[in-house]
Amino acid sequence: DAPNDTFPKALAAAKEAARIDTSLPEALVPHAMVELCYFRMLASPEEKFRKALNLKPWLPLAHNGLGLLQAAAGRAEESVASLHKAIAFSPLSVPLNAFLCYSLCFTRRFEDAITAGRKAVLGDPESCLAHVCLGNALLYQVKYDDALVHLDNARSLSHDSKIYLGFWAYACALAGLRA
């Protein structure tokens, strides 16, 4: 569904949940995610993620949200630390391992990123997100053949989503596959 349709619905649901129970950390996290991902806000979502974690420190989605926010704010080391905390509470989560792969690239720890990306792909070979994160980590290491396999999988699994098609085309260009 289009972001203009889904994000306002998610925000309305989170606000309703918070109205019912203001101490519910599970309501704070989606509210913060909408603010971060849809409205591109930083301060308010960070406050909500931290409040959720104060109420429930073992909530992986709050650590994940905080990690994504920190990555968006250019705080790569903090992002990696937050994602490690999230994974400690949900070690088999494919999206968390994929996001860890993504964040590790920003810290230039490419071998660790590739390990996290491979874990994500093994967890769900049908995950576009896992394949694109691993593919990009492999690109940083100039492992074009492996990167192209994963980026082509992401492209194919996404039914040629423009974003995943763009990542694949970029990899093709780097590998010298102009056609």
Side-chain angles (χ1 to χ4, degrees):
D1 293 335
N4 288 340
D5 295 332
T6 56
F7 278 108
K9 289 177 186 174
L11 182 59
K15 285 182 176 181
E16 178 62 15
R19 187 191 63 73
I20 294 168
D21 184 350
T22 58
S23 68
L24 191 63
E26 290 85 350
L28 291 169
V29 172
H31 190 167
M33 289 298 283
V34 170
E35 288 180 345
L36 173 64
C37 298
Y38 186 64
F39 294 111
R40 308 285 194 231
M41 299 165 68
L42 294 178
S44 176
E46 183 162 3
E47 184 179 300
K48 286 177 178 65
F49 290 133
R50 293 197 185 280
K51 182 176 179 184
L53 288 168
N54 283 335
L55 294 167
K56 197 179 265 190
W58 58 90
L59 192 60
L61 292 177
H63 286 290
N64 172 56
L66 186 58
L68 294 175
L69 181 145
Q70 290 161 332
R75 296 160 32 202
E77 291 294 342
E78 291 176 63
S79 174
V80 168
S82 291
L83 289 164
H84 274 298
K85 288 178 187 174
I87 290 169
F89 298 114
S90 186
L92 300 178
S93 169
V94 170
L96 291 177
N97 281 288
F99 290 140
L100 177 61
C101 171
Y102 176 77
S103 288
L104 283 163
C105 287
F106 290 124
T107 64
R108 306 194 62 73
R109 295 187 337 224
F110 301 117
E111 289 303 321
D112 292 339
I114 290 168
T115 299
R118 289 196 192 286
K119 184 177 178 183
V121 168
L122 283 173
D124 183 2
E126 302 288 311
S127 169
C128 302
L129 178 65
H131 282 289
V132 80
C133 289
L134 176 55
N136 280 309
L138 290 162
L139 279 181
Y140 283 113
Q141 290 297 91
V142 194
K143 297 178 180 180
Y144 295 139
D145 290 343
D146 287 343
L148 282 165
V149 167
H150 290 286
L151 293 169
D152 188 49
N153 282 337
R155 179 199 59 75
S156 176
L157 290 166
S158 73
H159 307 287
D160 288 326
S161 154
K162 290 178 184 174
I163 292 172
Y164 293 116
L165 183 60
F167 281 118
W168 174 78
Y170 176 69
C172 287
L174 287 176
L177 304 173
R178 304 289 183 206

